[in-house]
Amino acid sequence: MHVKARLALLAGTAALAVMLVFAGLRGIVLVAVGLAGVAVTAAAVWLFLAHRGPIRWMALVLAVASPVAVIVSYVRAQLLWVVLCTVALWGLAVAAGRSALADEGRSRMPGRPARPPRHPFLIMNPRSGGGKVGAFGLREKAEALGAEVVLLDPDHHEDVAELARRAIERGADLVGVAGGDGTQALVASVAAEHGVPFLVISAGTRNHFAMDLGLDRLDPSTCLDALTDGVELRVDLGRVGDRGFVNNASFGTYAEVVQSPAYRDDKMRTTLSLLPDLLARHTGPRLTVRAGDTVVEDPQAVLVSNNPYGTGDPAGLGRRSRLDAGVLGVLAIKVNNAAQAAGILRGARSTGLTSLTALEVEVDSDAPLVRIGIDGESVMLPAPVRCRVEPGALRVVVPRHRPGNRAGVPMDWAGVRRLALTMGRAAGRPRPEPPAGPG
């Protein structure tokens, strides 16, 4: 792990050296041009989404032309290779640093050895993830390990929560799901309610919950190793009213778009058609978010997550380094113009982005019912909607050997530097002599 920390520092130093040696003072100009290009592109994307007609298509041209113009400027200055080399070295530095921090335990949730279940019960969706259940032989492998498996009928709706409850009543001492995050959340709520361990099998399309648990998303069959050699993690469970969620609950534009009957058949066209009125607040509800002492009036989009998502750097976006911090993450976006859209790139310092954590969040609306996307499933609940977190409510069993969630680890250069220096001190410290034997 300390070798990775030293590699991170060396790569980061090399990135700066390449920029200074080969670009000199022009390196500052290169960085400024690149940042300006990114800001212009972000503003153009906002204009494209928020308008129709000629403005939309001019914005599309600008969104494409801006990065092209930045690259052309680097080529004309004969410094494109410097930029590419610097970016590559910096990417290596961040990856190595994050890996070192992960090895040190920054992303690890404490667990304990899990007792192999005697009567595991698994629900599998054969259509989830493009047919991963069949492609990886998940049913056959699970049954060979002694699990009872229910294969969902794609043509008939089945209440997966009720299936899990009945299985527990019959003596199941573990329940699990091979399917999407929405199905995972429904069964996870039942498992938490009865105090039964829960098994996640990464057979969905996105597998966000599995990703943040550090599971292998490329081969979901490895998740079944938890039945014989597992570790139990105590993780939090989010609640929207009485509904549980393992990832997030979304309010505003996304929830309104996915509620459209046309969304399922043509996602892109429906989204581009509805977004201008939603972003301009001509349609859709006007929301008010209250989290602790913070009040956000009239945001276009709100995301309440089971533990906060990373926002410090691009590699951490969309991932949670931990699922046991006992807090909700709150992201509220309120953007009224292209300048604010570009300002979102500043992260937590942006006036258009509110990012915080809370134990409880209330989302009110000027409409009697609020549309919500709960782990990708669309529901409607009466306003105001209250979200809360149940710390350690879910007993998740994962394989002892799994890839881990490295990209969710926040980058901490001070921590990386400490790890690198620790190795240096350890290398210079004399090893203790072994104790002398008798005689």
Side-chain angles (χ1 to χ4, degrees):
M1 69 186 75
H2 301 307
V3 173
K4 295 177 183 178
R6 293 192 102 182
L7 174 61
L9 292 182
L10 288 173
T13 302
L16 295 176
V18 168
M19 179 67 74
L20 291 175
V21 171
F22 294 99
L25 293 178
R26 289 187 297 171
I28 300 176
V29 178
L30 290 178
V31 173
V33 169
L35 292 176
V38 172
V40 170
T41 302
V45 170
W46 162 262
L47 292 171
F48 174 77
L49 296 175
H51 293 81
R52 296 186 178 91
I55 294 180
R56 165 171 285 184
W57 301 115
M58 286 189 291
L60 178 60
V61 172
L62 181 60
V64 174
S66 178
V68 171
V70 171
I71 294 174
V72 169
S73 68
Y74 291 161
V75 171
R76 293 186 64 182
Q78 298 182 343
L79 292 174
L80 179 61
W81 73 271
V82 174
V83 175
L84 294 178
C85 186
T86 300
V87 170
L89 286 169
W90 190 254
L92 174 62
V94 172
R98 183 175 287 107
S99 183
L101 294 171
D103 288 343
E104 189 69 8
R106 294 290 185 92
S107 66
R108 294 176 185 169
M109 294 174 282
R112 61 182 181 86
R115 179 180 301 176
R118 290 172 296 177
H119 305 292
F121 175 80
L122 304 179
I123 298 171
M124 297 188 178
N125 183 350
R127 285 188 177 176
S128 187
K132 289 182 180 178
V133 169
F136 288 90
L138 298 182
R139 179 179 186 177
E140 294 77 13
K141 292 177 181 179
E143 290 177 340
L145 293 171
E148 177 186 352
V149 178
V150 169
L151 207 62
L152 298 178
D153 185 348
D155 298 322
H156 297 87
H157 171 75
E158 296 186 69
D159 189 337
V160 293
E162 186 59 27
L163 288 174
R165 289 192 187 94
R166 291 177 183 174
I168 293 172
E169 291 172 358
R170 296 196 310 269
D173 56 353
L174 176 144
V175 294
V177 173
D181 287 325
T183 307
Q184 298 277 5
L186 292 171
V187 178
S189 297
V190 176
E193 178 185 341
H194 292 84
V196 173
F198 179 63
L199 175 65
V200 178
I201 304 173
S202 55
T205 301
R206 298 178 180 85
N207 298 298
H208 287 169
F209 190 43
M211 174 177 63
D212 293 335
L213 288 170
L215 299 176
D216 189 342
R217 295 185 296 157
L218 299 178
D219 185 0
S221 67
T222 60
C223 300
L224 295 172
D225 293 342
L227 295 176
T228 55
D229 185 20
V231 175
E232 182 178 309
L233 309 176
R234 281 280 186 171
V235 306
D236 306 333
L237 184 67
R239 292 278 183 187
V240 178
D242 294 329
R243 286 279 304 256
F245 62 92
V246 294
N247 291 326
N248 56 63
S250 58
F251 303 79
T253 53
Y254 173 76
E256 294 291 324
V257 167
V258 298
Q259 282 280 350
S260 170
Y263 180 76
R264 184 176 297 274
D265 296 328
D266 192 343
K267 293 181 174 61
M268 180 65 70
R269 188 184 299 274
T270 302
T271 300
L272 293 178
S273 174
L274 296 178
L275 272 182
D277 288 334
L278 290 171
L279 294 177
R281 301 179 181 83
H282 296 153
T283 60
R286 291 184 175 269
L287 304 175
T288 301
V289 181
R290 298 180 179 87
D293 297 330
T294 302
V295 178
V296 182
E297 299 280 357
D298 205 16
Q300 286 113 327
V302 179
L303 187 75
V304 179
S305 59
N306 176 24
N307 285 258
Y309 288 102
T311 57
D313 59 85
L317 294 177
R319 297 194 178 191
R320 296 162 290 179
S321 59
R322 303 188 69 97
L323 295 168
D324 60 351
V327 293
L328 298 171
V330 183
L331 289 173
I333 297 177
K334 184 177 181 180
V335 176
N336 297 316
N337 51 58
Q340 283 187 327
I344 290 289
L345 299 172
R346 299 172 60 200
R349 295 173 296 169
S350 167
T351 58
L353 177 67
T354 300
S355 176
L356 52 89
T357 60
L359 297 176
E360 293 187 3
V361 179
E362 181 184 274
V363 181
D364 205 352
S365 171
D366 61 353
L369 295 175
V370 181
R371 291 184 174 90
I372 314 169
I374 302 178
D375 284 340
E377 302 290 331
S378 298
V379 301
M380 295 187 70
L381 294 177
V385 176
R386 290 181 174 82
C387 307
R388 67 185 192 281
V389 64
E390 295 181 358
L394 191 57
R395 300 169 57 191
V396 178
V397 179
V398 298
R400 185 182 305 274
H401 303 290
R402 58 194 187 279
N405 179 13
R406 297 180 183 276
V409 180
M411 189 58 190
D412 177 10
W413 284 109
V416 171
R417 186 164 52 251
R418 282 195 299 271
L419 289 177
L421 293 177
T422 298
M423 183 180 73
R425 290 196 297 268
R429 188 183 302 129
R431 294 185 179 181
E433 293 292 332

